[in-house]
Amino acid sequence: MAEFEELRRPGKAKTVAVQSATMAEAPSADRRETPTASVYNDVKEYYGKTLKQNSDLKTNACVPSSKPVPGYVRKVIADIHPDVVAKYYGCGLVVPECLEGCMVLDLGCGSGRDCYMLSQLVGEKGYVTGIDMTEDQLEVARKYIDVHMQRFGYKSANVNFVQGYIEALAEAGLEEKSFDIIISNCVVNLSPDKSSVLREAYRVLKDGGELYFSDVYCDARIPETLKANKVLWGECISGALWWEDLIRLAEEVGFCKPRLVTASIITVENVELENLLGDYKFVSATYRLFKLPRGMERKSCQVIYNGDITGCEESFEFDAQYTFKVDTVQEVDGDVASILKNSRFSEEFTFQPQGLNGSGCQTKSNAQSLNPFDLLLQLGSSVVSPSTGGCCPGQRSCCN
């Protein structure tokens, strides 16, 4: 029987039980030899044995984020050991804002690059847990815990790594409502049961918590013949969701409507695989999913950002639709108003009723699609309006 150890989170009153088994079994329903179990074994083989470093990848699915990397993020990444970075296979930048003191979970943490990045951003009073099913990856992650804690100047570790499956977080000992934020970087596409991934993420998030993740998406549902190709699946291509299915699954689980943050084109750049894929198109996209109280009123309002979020002192780019400038009155729709009021961002804004005239500059957002392919078209156009436009056509805002 797997033993459990009590890990006390720095700055937190309670302890959280985490499974310390050395070998993770497939989720209980899939321990026999099934197509699902076969997918797990193939992914373990690909990321544990086939790929030795990120230069071994056969496509460009693990593309860098289309957004510029902020200076404070570049600084913390520079402090991560090269052996950890060499086995990083992410497809975006998963650095949500307002992290200080938060409990964070990384789904499919791999060698731990994002965990060590976030370890520095949550600080000693926060805590980061990484979960992965591949022992070879976790071996690298665990090897450098002490090295990084010394480099960060921490008296005790604020990061740990658990072997388990992202579809079965309960079996890995991760408790209900125990995390403020969940991140994932190009991993959900590798799961054969994506609805379970979202359900489990929802379960372990606290009320007001967020799933902030980058992944690969397709412009249509991918046929089983392509899903059966081990290289295409291992390269994060044929397991990609049709983006519309993500929206549907997220809302079925209970998340509020997803917020699209950014998108980058994936061109594959492998002739043999491109021929197999035909006309299917792929993007790397980042979405924010929030767990809010059910049945609550979603009423539009005006907000004023106070500029206190680290790295966002002048403006806060919440998603592709809303960028909040400090001390500027901004109209938001009911969904975003509910998110800001009921999440860790509540103290970062002043809220006032819709239509109340403020003394500062006022802006109104342009509507945005949740389709990452639409966003790519906008980003690639020289005539795209800024996501936060003015209240008069052709102007960024009413104030110059």
Side-chain angles (χ1 to χ4, degrees):
M1 180 180 295
E3 296 179 355
F4 286 81
E5 60 182 344
E6 295 291 335
L7 297 177
R8 183 169 297 277
R9 307 316 195 193
K12 302 293 178 181
K14 72 171 187 174
T15 57
V16 179
V18 177
Q19 193 173 18
S20 61
T22 57
M23 295 298 292
E25 295 179 305
S28 54
D30 298 304
R31 285 173 187 159
R32 60 193 180 278
E33 187 59 33
T34 64
T36 296
S38 177
V39 170
Y40 291 130
N41 292 332
D42 291 342
V43 172
K44 287 180 184 179
E45 178 72 18
Y46 202 74
Y47 284 88
K49 306 297 183 184
T50 303
L51 300 179
K52 301 300 182 184
Q53 54 191 359
N54 45 33
S55 60
D56 294 331
L57 289 163
K58 296 176 176 59
T59 71
N60 72 341
C62 296
V63 296
S65 169
S66 63
K67 295 174 62 176
V69 180
Y72 76 98
V73 176
R74 290 197 301 270
K75 183 179 182 297
V76 297
I77 292 175
D79 282 337
I80 300 173
H81 196 281
D83 289 356
V84 171
V85 175
K87 294 182 74 67
Y88 166 72
Y89 306 114
C91 64
L93 183 67
V94 285
V95 188
E97 309 80 8
C98 207
L99 289 167
E100 292 89 343
C102 286
M103 299 279 287
V104 180
L105 174 64
D106 183 0
L107 300 179
C109 63
S111 63
R113 194 209 75 159
D114 286 339
C115 288
Y116 287 123
M117 173 180 67
L118 296 174
S119 166
Q120 299 171 78
L121 298 177
V122 301
E124 285 193 89
K125 292 185 178 180
Y127 203 92
V128 182
T129 296
I131 182 169
D132 204 282
M133 66 179 181
T134 306
E135 178 62 27
D136 299 83
Q137 287 278 72
L138 291 175
E139 184 178 348
V140 175
R142 291 166 174 156
K143 179 180 178 180
Y144 293 102
I145 291 179
D146 290 342
V147 170
H148 286 104
M149 295 306 104
Q150 291 174 12
R151 184 172 294 178
F152 303 162
Y154 293 168
K155 294 180 180 178
S156 58
N158 74 340
V159 62
N160 78 299
F161 298 98
V162 179
Q163 189 170 13
Y165 291 83
I166 62 176
E167 303 87 350
L169 300 180
E171 292 186 20
L174 301 182
E175 297 179 345
E176 182 178 359
K177 296 184 178 181
S178 53
F179 294 97
D180 301 294
I181 303 166
I182 297 175
I183 67 158
S184 182
N185 200 337
C186 206
V187 170
V188 176
N189 66 82
L190 295 170
S191 170
D193 186 0
K194 295 167 178 62
S195 60
S196 290
V197 175
L198 294 180
R199 279 196 300 270
E200 279 292 88
Y202 188 89
R203 183 185 67 83
V204 302
L205 275 175
K206 299 176 184 178
D207 292 336
E210 175 184 15
L211 170 58
Y212 185 103
F213 70 117
S214 292
D215 218 284
V216 177
Y217 297 94
C218 190
D219 63 344
R221 289 198 179 104
I222 298 175
E224 294 299 322
T225 52
L226 291 178
K227 290 181 180 180
N229 186 295
K230 294 181 181 180
V231 173
L232 283 174
W233 190 281
E235 290 285 322
C236 303
I237 297 292
S238 62
L241 274 175
W242 179 31
W243 70 270
E244 289 193 25
D245 281 339
L246 169 71
I247 309 304
R248 175 182 57 81
L249 288 173
E251 296 193 62
E252 286 178 358
V253 165
F255 286 105
C256 65
K257 183 170 24 174
R259 309 298 306 184
L260 176 60
V261 179
T262 189
S264 302
I265 191 68
I266 293 175
T267 54
V268 181
E269 296 186 2
N270 181 308
V271 174
E272 181 181 352
L273 298 180
E274 286 173 1
N275 289 336
L276 290 174
L277 292 168
D279 293 331
Y280 289 99
K281 295 180 175 60
F282 299 88
V283 295
S284 166
T286 301
Y287 286 93
R288 322 184 74 129
L289 279 60
F290 286 85
K291 178 181 178 178
L292 301 181
R294 294 177 184 269
M296 64 178 303
E297 184 181 30
R298 286 170 166 76
K299 189 174 182 180
S300 60
C301 71
Q302 295 179 341
V303 301
I304 304 172
Y305 172 53
N306 63 22
D308 289 340
I309 297 177
T310 300
C312 305
E313 289 78 7
E314 295 184 3
S315 65
F316 168 27
E317 187 176 341
F318 179 73
D319 61 12
Q321 181 176 358
Y322 289 102
T323 295
F324 301 104
K325 296 181 180 179
V326 68
D327 296 331
T328 299
V329 179
Q330 169 78 38
E331 289 187 18
V332 295
D333 61 39
D335 287 336
V336 172
S338 297
I339 290 170
L340 297 180
K341 288 179 180 179
N342 294 279
S343 67
R344 65 188 186 282
F345 298 117
S346 61
E347 296 182 0
E348 311 300 332
F349 290 85
T350 299
F351 300 89
Q352 58 189 34
Q354 184 80 2
L356 183 65
N357 291 326
S359 58
C361 176
Q362 298 186 46
T363 64
K364 185 175 182 179
S365 172
N366 300 319
Q368 287 283 340
S369 168
L370 293 178
N371 182 347
F373 295 91
D374 285 348
L375 180 59
L376 278 177
L377 291 175
Q378 291 184 328
L379 293 174
S381 171
S382 59
V383 295
V384 174
S385 300
S387 60
T388 304
C391 45
C392 303
Q395 297 180 349
R396 284 183 176 268
S397 68
C398 295
C399 305
N400 295 313

